[in-house]
Amino acid sequence: MNRKKLLNIGDKLLTALIVLFFIITILFKVRYIETGSMKPTLQVGSIVYVNPFSYCEKRRPGIGEIAMYQSSTGMEYIHRIVDITEEGEYIFKGDNNSTKDFNPVPLTSIEGKVVIRVNIVAPFIRAIKNLQDI
C-alpha cells in the first residue's frame, strides 16, 4: 500500500472513532472516578460509562452490579449493590470501604448501571492532576 492510501484509511478510522465517542457520550453518562472507594475494581482517574436506560420496573438492579445513584443530598455515588431491603430499596457499598453506604436507595434514585470501565487512563489522569496541584 502506498502512503496516501494508508493516510486515507487512518483519516477514516479517526473520524469513525470520533463519531463513536460522541455517540457514546450522548447515550451514556460519562463519569470520572475521583476517590478510591471502589479500588481495586475502579482506580482513581478511571472513566466509567453509565447506561441510564439499564433499569426500570421490569429490569431491576441485582446484587453485585455496579451502579450510580444520587443521594438525598444530590451527590452521585458509583458503588456496588450488596443487598436489597424487604421494602425493595438497595444497599450500596464501595469495594474498598469497610462499611455500607448510609441509607437504602430507592430504584428512582438509581441513575444507571456501569457498563464500561476504562482503567487504563487512570495513571495518566492522576499524573496530570498531580501536576496541576503543584
Side-chain angles (χ1 to χ4, degrees), residues 86-132:
E86 290 181 10
E87 295 78 25
E89 294 186 317
Y90 298 86
I91 307 295
F92 283 81
K93 179 181 170 293
D95 289 356
N96 196 33
N97 294 350
S98 57
T99 59
K100 297 173 184 172
D101 293 1
F102 307 107
N103 298 314
V105 177
L107 178 62
T108 55
S109 295
I110 298 177
E111 297 189 9
K113 178 180 180 179
V114 172
V115 292
I116 300 172
R117 310 181 286 212
V118 184
N119 286 331
I120 196 161
V121 299
F124 302 110
I125 292 176
R126 275 197 310 268
I128 291 168
K129 191 171 170 97
N130 287 340
L131 285 174
Q132 290 175 342

Side-chain angles (χ1 to χ4, degrees), residues 16-59:
L17 288 174
I18 290 170
V19 168
L20 180 63
F21 172 78
F22 281 114
I23 289 171
I24 289 173
T25 304
I26 290 168
L27 292 178
F28 296 97
K29 295 179 179 184
V30 181
R31 296 296 186 268
Y32 165 77
I33 303 300
E34 296 182 27
T35 71
S37 67
M38 281 299 292
K39 281 183 175 180
T41 308
L42 299 173
Q43 300 294 320
V44 174
S46 296
I47 304 295
V48 295
Y49 292 84
V50 178
N51 180 354
F53 309 107
S54 53
Y55 300 130
C56 61
E57 283 299 324
K58 292 183 178 182
R59 167 64 178 104

